[in-house]
Amino acid sequence: MTDIKSLNEAQLSEALKSLGEPAFRSKQIYQWLHQKGVSSFDEMTNLSKELREKLKEEYFIPCCNIEEKYVSKLDGTVKYLFKLFDGEYIESVVMKYKYGYTICISSQVGCKMGCRFCASTLNGCKRNLLSAEMESQVHSAQNDLGIRISHIVLMGIGEPLDNYENVINFLKTVNNENGLNISLRDITLSTCGIVPKIYELMKEELPITLTLSLHAPNDKIRSEMMPINNKWSVDEVIKALDEYEKHTSRRVSFEYTLINGVNDSEENARELAKKLKGINCHVNLIPVNNVKENDYIVSNEYNIKKFQYILKSLKINATIRRTLGKDINASCGQLRRKKQES
Ligand code: SAH
């Protein structure tokens, strides 16, 4: 069985041609799959029953079925646990902002990067998500909530640059005007810093926003937190982001999760400002979420504000990320993990 939803327009058109179908059929099917996000061939009501049966014999539509859903009473944030065709689980979160709805999607089932503070990586990576499965997270949420999602962040479970080809296919697909038609400028990709892939992405010339999970100003601290730092150092990864910004003229971001006594001192803030000097960038300061498998503790509010103040006084843009969905455990990896344990 072939995944019909990960085929691009040209491939779909070829496939339909080989079934002896006229060209307009391919456009109809493309729109069912990518604009409306249907989950079965029977919903494609303008196709003959015969063609639907023929399609069912050769193809399947990878879907994200809602297994669990939580709505925050505090801010309306919605968290989904989705079940995939092979019984695996992933998570997505929909957040409402002034400018519209943003979805945070997963890119892999689990993650092999091993960051010590992260719940998504505790059992390694089961498999990559298909392009269709990344897209179906958007469709399932949109269809369930009856809304249009305008922004996507690839910040859920998984390392997007470790699933490079499917992620690029996904980005091009959601941008297609016969599909979700989401602007690439409204998509953010977050990476732990796989340097060669950052350069490869740079050459794709896609106007997405790239954000790096930096979390530390030097190798000593970063290597303790993130094994990937043993492969590419802080300087190497910051240089890659700097080149990415210069090549694409797209401002880059750095995520910095604040952990009490680990990376939140005044000295850490100064060292960070020095490293980022001259780069057109923005720093997102994130209070670390408690994960029961590790003993990292969130920085106190005073230290978080002070960290931001130092960065700003040294001319580095920095904001503290607002926490949404606090009452529904909206930070990723935790629901899937609970399901695995039950
Ligand atoms: N693999 C990608 C994207 C997924 S993680 C990456 O590393 O960027 C998305 C963001 O959540 C990253 O910045 C990650 O470092 C952060 N994160 C993971 N666990 C967290 C936790 N317990 N508290 C706060 N942020 C966390």
Side-chain angles (χ1 to χ4, degrees):
M1 294 285 257
T2 306
D3 157 17
I4 193 167
K5 198 168 166 174
S6 296
L7 301 180
N8 65 29
E9 269 176 318
Q11 291 165 329
L12 184 64
S13 153
E14 265 316 297
L16 267 292
K17 213 161 144 197
S18 68
L19 290 177
E21 292 294 327
F24 72 91
R25 283 273 174 251
S26 151
K27 188 165 177 195
Q28 286 176 325
I29 296 172
Y30 193 89
Q31 287 177 335
W32 281 116
L33 291 170
H34 301 284
Q35 212 165 57
K36 304 197 176 65
V38 299
S39 48
S40 69
F41 292 107
D42 287 331
E43 289 165 78
M44 302 182 180
T45 46
N46 57 2
L47 305 188
S48 69
K49 185 141 196 306
E50 201 188 335
L51 176 57
R52 281 185 256 153
E53 294 306 318
K54 244 198 294 187
L55 290 170
K56 278 186 223 170
E57 277 167 29
E58 278 188 48
Y59 298 100
F60 78 109
I61 308 173
C63 297
C64 288
N65 294 310
I66 301 173
E67 177 79 6
E68 290 173 21
K69 174 185 174 183
Y70 301 87
V71 183
S72 166
K73 292 194 176 66
L74 302 174
D75 49 50
T77 298
V78 183
K79 172 141 198 174
Y80 292 101
L81 182 72
F82 287 124
K83 192 172 186 175
L84 306 176
F85 69 88
D86 57 354
E88 295 293 345
Y89 295 100
I90 50 161
E91 296 172 37
S92 322
V93 180
V94 179
M95 294 153 287
K96 190 174 179 187
Y97 290 100
K98 274 185 279 202
Y99 48 78
Y101 288 95
T102 296
I103 188 167
C104 173
I105 66 157
S106 297
S107 57
Q108 294 180 310
V109 180
C111 184
K112 61 170 182 266
M113 296 299 136
C115 301
R116 305 247 190 278
F117 46 85
C118 182
S120 302
T121 193
L122 290 162
N123 279 331
C125 179
K126 271 274 172 69
R127 67 171 173 88
N128 283 330
L129 288 188
L130 303 164
S131 166
E133 290 171 322
M134 290 181 255
E135 202 192 348
S136 291
Q137 295 171 62
V138 187
H139 284 132
S140 288
Q142 259 192 184
N143 293 343
D144 177 53
L145 299 170
I147 56 166
R148 177 177 188 263
I149 289 170
S150 56
H151 292 65
I152 301 177
V153 295
L154 285 129
M155 282 194 192
I157 297 171
E159 167 49 48
L161 297 187
D162 188 39
N163 183 14
Y164 189 83
E165 260 143 53
N166 292 347
V167 165
I168 297 295
N169 187 10
F170 162 77
L171 293 172
K172 291 180 176 164
T173 307
V174 292
N175 184 232
N176 192 306
E177 58 182 13
N178 291 317
L180 285 164
N181 197 12
I182 295 177
S183 164
L184 290 170
R185 292 175 185 275
D186 295 332
I187 302 180
T188 299
L189 187 153
S190 179
T191 178
C192 65
I194 302 178
V195 169
K197 294 287 174 197
I198 294 175
Y199 287 111
E200 215 175 315
L201 183 67
M202 177 175 97
K203 294 190 188 115
E204 309 272 353
E205 315 260 356
L206 303 170
I208 57 167
T209 299
L210 181 64
T211 175
L212 175 74
S213 296
L214 183 60
H215 304 319
N218 60 49
D219 290 330
K220 185 161 180 290
I221 303 175
R222 195 167 191 262
S223 295
E224 282 283 311
M225 297 168 69
M226 305 173 70
I228 191 79
N229 199 66
N230 295 312
K231 261 198 153 149
W232 295 286
S233 67
V234 168
D235 288 348
E236 283 171 306
V237 79
I238 292 178
K239 181 166 177 278
L241 270 272
D242 189 18
E243 287 195 24
Y244 187 95
E245 185 275 314
K246 296 207 161 65
H247 184 86
T248 60
S249 303
R250 298 281 302 156
R251 184 173 82 162
V252 291
S253 301
F254 294 92
E255 321 267 331
Y256 197 102
T257 294
L258 287 154
I259 305 172
N260 185 43
V262 173
N263 62 359
D264 65 344
S265 71
E266 288 184 39
E267 193 194 335
N268 297 152
R270 286 209 182 82
E271 193 177 1
L272 178 65
K274 209 166 148 189
K275 288 264 160 88
L276 301 185
K277 203 168 176 229
I279 304 178
N280 177 19
C281 71
H282 178 90
V283 177
N284 265 315
L285 298 171
I286 313 165
V288 74
N289 273 300
N290 288 336
V291 174
K292 73 174 180 354
E293 286 81 359
N294 68 47
D295 48 12
Y296 287 141
I297 299 167
V298 65
S299 308
N300 66 47
E301 222 178 302
Y302 176 77
N303 281 346
I304 295 176
K305 292 245 165 72
K306 193 163 66 182
F307 203 94
Q308 180 192 27
Y309 179 82
I310 294 171
L311 291 180
K312 282 179 135 179
S313 68
L314 295 168
K315 306 269 181 297
I316 304 288
N317 284 311
T319 46
I320 299 168
R321 177 164 304 160
R322 195 157 59 102
T323 310
L324 290 174
K326 225 178 176 145
D327 55 331
I328 55 166
N329 235 338
S331 50
C332 80
Q334 310 195 359
L335 270 186
R336 171 170 177 263
R337 181 135 182 88
K338 222 160 84 194
K339 191 87 188 168
Q340 281 175 330
E341 283 173 350
S342 65

